Amino acid sequence: LSGTSMVADLDQIGDSNIIAASIAQGNTSSWTMWQIGNSNVSTITAGGTGAVTSTDFDYSATGNENVLTWLQGSSAASTGGNQDFVIAGNTNNVNSRCDVVGCINNWDIDGNTNDIDVTQIGTADKSITFDLTGDSNNIDIDQTTAASGVTDTIVITAVSTSGVINLDQCTSGC
């Protein structure tokens, strides 16, 4: 998909659905992804071959063993990524990479043994705020900023036992 303004609503209802989608280049894109059921797989790439700006991605998974791969911004011109994730269930897997200026994540994760892996790369204004409720979750967050004087943030509120939360904030190669 390519364009100046796009709105996409993707729904996976039931079990074992698979979807792959790509925004080649675009401005002001809004994506909503619903996974209701078990063992659904989604791969979405925004800006794989060109710049994307002002992208809003809302993801909601209700069920178990759902997988999301969200990749945004391989272009230095990519700006304004906003990801909101709501996950309710067990053993869900999210892999998110945001390579834009202004990457903002807000998550609510409820369930056990979920695996969330996030990489944020860019020059400025990256943040992650999330609430985690459940046990034995594995959360890995890497924020890399090469620019001096930049403040990136991670805010976590967790009610959890037996889980692993790994946070890395660095200037290169987390």
Side-chain angles (χ1 to χ4, degrees):
L1 300 172
S2 182
T4 58
S5 180
M6 288 179 278
V7 176
D9 183 9
L10 308 170
D11 299 330
Q12 289 182 319
I13 300 172
D15 299 333
S16 302
N17 296 299
I18 298 173
I19 190 168
S22 178
I23 304 171
Q25 179 174 322
N27 297 324
T28 317
S29 299
S30 177
W31 291 71
T32 302
M33 176 79 216
W34 298 89
Q35 289 179 322
I36 302 170
N38 301 310
S39 303
N40 294 301
V41 177
S42 300
T43 302
I44 302 173
T45 302
T49 59
V52 292
T53 59
S54 302
T55 299
D56 182 41
F57 179 59
D58 297 325
Y59 171 73
S60 178
T62 302
N64 303 313
E65 300 179 8
N66 293 302
V67 177
L68 168 68
T69 301
W70 168 258
L71 307 169
Q72 180 178 358
S74 63
S75 170
S78 298
T79 59
N82 181 12
Q83 288 77 236
D84 298 319
F85 298 161
V86 177
I87 300 170
N90 302 314
T91 320
N92 293 294
N93 186 335
V94 173
N95 296 293
S96 175
R97 180 180 173 99
C98 190
D99 188 358
V100 302
V101 175
C103 188
I104 300 168
N105 287 272
N106 294 293
W107 313 331
D108 184 359
I109 303 167
D110 297 321
N112 302 315
T113 64
N114 293 301
D115 185 14
I116 313 296
D117 297 308
V118 177
T119 301
Q120 289 186 319
I121 299 171
T123 57
D125 302 325
K126 295 178 295 298
S127 70
I128 297 173
T129 302
F130 75 93
D131 293 326
L132 174 67
T133 303
D135 299 327
S136 302
N137 291 295
N138 182 10
I139 312 294
D140 293 301
I141 299 172
D142 294 331
Q143 282 183 335
T144 302
T145 297
S148 63
V150 171
T151 302
D152 295 329
T153 61
I154 301 171
V155 177
I156 302 169
T157 304
V159 178
S160 182
T161 61
S162 303
V164 175
I165 299 174
N166 180 24
L167 308 175
D168 293 312
Q169 290 180 306
C170 53
T171 56
S172 66
C174 284

